[in-house]
Amino acid sequence: MRRRSAWPKGRSIMSTKLLLSAATSRRRVLGISAAAAGLALLPFSAPLRAAARLAAWDGIALGAKVSIRIHHDDERVTEQALQSVVQELRRLEAVFSLYREDSALSQLNKRGSLIAPPAELVELLQTSKHYASVTDGAFDPTIQPLWQLYSQHFSKPGAAAQGPEADVIAARLEAVGLEHVLVSRDRIAFRRPGMAISLNGIAQGFITDRAIERLREHGIAHTLVDMGESRALGQHPDGRPWQAMIADPLKPQGKGQIVPLIDMALATSGGYGFSFDPTGRFHHIFDPHSGRSPQLYRSVSVLMPTATGADALSTAFSSLSPEDIRKVMTVLGGGQVYLTTVEGRQVTISV
């Protein structure tokens, strides 16, 4: 697979009832809409059954607003399911959050190593190594030093519009590379100085999958979870697929591409979610090979059986050509990728 030398990788948003515009980072709102709630990723179009009971919770997790609404005929089931999902969300926040200084990830970044790490952190880093391997390094959570570099550069008065100098980027890239991270059940350690990890390109999907597991355990058979990534559990209660809409980031109010979801997950990435400079040339997606932000696509959406996989791949594919994307999907055994090029052209890759 060809490695790109001038562009990069990262994350973004989807057009949903909760994520209302391309100016809103996909990290800002997480949600679950379940059971009889209509088309959860499109404006509601079906009324709730009279017998359905609502369990609701609003709060903050992973630095974002969280809204959870679960509808079910049995009030006891909804309350138990809601409590289970919230507990799991809080528990995993204490592992993956970059916003909390006491999280396992923050402690790893601060110390450079972590003894007896949480099992979920080990699992997610091992999963990250898998996606790093199949994408030839296009997915790599050790890009956090690049984020820090660009944030520091553009926060200075009179910062050069062309971004950090090439030699400064090259020096920072010495601290990038998941192959330089030791991962075992007993210990996680950085093998190079200055390394740091951000799991923003995969943790949202992982937590989405865990939310689905908790809901399934409580007998919820028809639901759609949207935690930055979207995953359907079963189909809509009336027998039709759940539906997601992928909007053009430059035309968020326009008609988007409708994707049916039945026991599948959809994740979308794009540089429009956050940029360091006013022009949007330097954004939150980084190519681990070049240290710069890719300009290939307005958005990349991936449909896969798990939100974890869809999340990681939508990040990685932001810096890969359609040909390389097809090769990766073939290796993984299939899936669908929806691309909106910088010119606005729609490209669908089905394997």
Side-chain angles (χ1 to χ4, degrees):
M1 183 181 299
R2 183 173 67 256
R3 289 194 174 188
R4 297 193 172 273
S5 59
W7 298 111
K9 121 182 180 127
R11 317 297 312 124
S12 135
I13 72 180
M14 287 178 54
S15 174
T16 75
K17 74 180 184 66
L18 293 176
L19 303 180
L20 298 178
S21 72
T24 302
S25 168
R26 67 189 282 245
R27 300 295 170 201
R28 303 319 307 155
V29 183
L30 313 178
I32 296 178
S33 296
L39 299 179
L41 283 186
L42 295 175
F44 286 159
S45 60
L48 297 177
R49 295 194 305 272
R53 300 298 183 91
L54 171 66
W57 181 83
D58 296 281
I60 301 292
L62 296 177
K65 294 180 180 179
V66 180
S67 177
I68 301 177
R69 303 289 186 269
I70 300 176
H71 302 274
H72 194 273
D73 294 341
D74 189 324
E75 184 177 8
R76 180 180 59 85
V77 170
T78 61
E79 291 178 352
Q80 290 177 347
L82 175 62
Q83 183 180 31
S84 178
V85 171
V86 172
Q87 287 177 344
E88 186 73 347
L89 182 64
R90 289 303 192 202
R91 190 177 69 83
L92 294 176
E93 179 184 37
V95 177
F96 302 131
S97 178
L98 279 175
Y99 300 91
R100 291 178 48 170
E101 292 186 1
D102 63 341
S103 74
L105 180 61
S106 293
Q107 290 301 306
L108 172 63
N109 287 340
K110 180 180 179 180
R111 302 172 183 173
S113 65
L114 200 61
I115 304 299
E120 292 82 7
L121 184 56
V122 173
E123 178 183 353
L124 197 52
L125 286 176
Q126 290 174 336
T127 301
S128 296
K129 283 180 175 285
H130 167 68
Y131 287 110
S133 176
V134 297
T135 63
D136 195 25
F139 178 76
D140 193 324
T142 66
I143 47 73
Q144 183 65 8
L146 294 172
W147 173 283
Q148 296 165 346
L149 172 64
Y150 282 89
S151 178
Q152 293 165 0
H153 175 86
F154 284 104
S155 65
K156 297 177 182 178
Q162 68 270 22
E165 296 293 336
D167 60 337
V168 177
I169 295 175
R172 196 60 63 97
L173 282 172
E174 291 296 316
V176 174
L178 193 53
E179 67 273 18
H180 305 305
V181 180
L182 170 68
V183 180
S184 72
R185 291 181 300 175
D186 302 319
R187 179 171 174 255
I188 301 172
F190 299 149
R191 289 171 166 154
R192 289 191 173 182
M195 296 191 75
I197 286 175
S198 167
L199 293 170
N200 285 351
I202 192 171
Q204 232 85 12
F206 183 86
I207 293 174
T208 299
D209 289 335
R210 288 301 181 95
I212 285 286
E213 292 175 10
R214 298 291 85 79
L215 293 173
R216 183 184 284 119
E217 290 170 357
H218 286 83
I220 305 295
H222 305 282
T223 188
L224 190 69
V225 175
D226 172 23
M227 290 190 167
E229 330 310 329
S230 300
R231 182 176 170 184
L233 175 57
Q235 57 191 7
H236 188 281
D238 68 6
R240 68 183 185 269
W242 298 97
Q243 294 184 19
M245 182 178 73
I246 304 172
D248 185 333
L250 299 186
K251 304 174 183 177
Q253 306 305 321
K255 184 178 180 180
Q257 185 170 7
I258 304 300
V259 179
L261 298 177
I262 298 179
D263 289 322
M264 295 291 283
L266 183 70
T268 298
S269 293
Y272 56 90
F274 174 85
S275 61
F276 295 97
D277 67 318
T279 68
R281 176 184 173 189
F282 301 98
H283 51 73
H284 63 300
I285 299 179
F286 296 105
D287 181 341
H289 303 312
S290 69
R292 299 185 181 275
S293 297
Q295 305 293 328
L296 295 172
Y297 312 108
R298 293 181 188 174
S299 70
V300 176
S301 299
V302 178
L303 184 69
M304 291 288 285
T306 69
T308 304
D311 194 6
L313 292 174
S314 66
T315 300
F317 290 169
S318 296
S319 59
L320 296 181
S321 69
E323 294 78 13
D324 285 344
I325 291 173
R326 182 175 293 277
K327 291 178 183 177
V328 173
M329 296 304 287
T330 300
V331 170
L332 292 173
Q336 288 186 304
V337 181
Y338 306 91
L339 307 172
T340 301
T341 68
V342 289
E343 299 82 14
R345 185 167 56 93
Q346 303 293 323
V347 178
T348 300
I349 300 172
S350 299
V351 178

